[in-house]
Amino acid sequence: MSIYVQTLQKLFDTLPALADSQNMSGHSLAKAEIMSAYEHLDRAVTLLVIEN
């Protein structure tokens, strides 16, 4: 995997823990945006891996 894909993968792996952290309690909109970013990164990483 390229360094670009590896970097995106690290971010992808971190987002669910961030969204579920205690700091996000009471911030449902921020949590939803983080999970939306998670879904977008999932698609992007998948496309990059398939293309390479």
Side-chain angles (χ1 to χ4, degrees):
M1 262 192 287
S2 72
I3 189 71
Y4 181 70
V5 173
Q6 290 174 352
T7 302
L8 289 176
Q9 187 65 45
K10 286 181 184 178
L11 181 58
F12 178 78
D13 293 341
T14 304
L15 287 175
L18 177 63
D20 290 335
S21 72
Q22 194 163 6
N23 295 331
M24 288 291 129
S25 64
H27 300 285
S28 59
L29 184 56
K31 186 175 180 176
E33 290 296 329
I34 291 169
M35 293 314 294
S36 177
Y38 179 81
E39 292 172 8
H40 287 286
L41 274 174
D42 181 35
R43 285 187 218 114
V45 169
T46 300
L47 289 172
L48 286 171
V49 169
I50 289 172
E51 290 175 1
N52 291 323

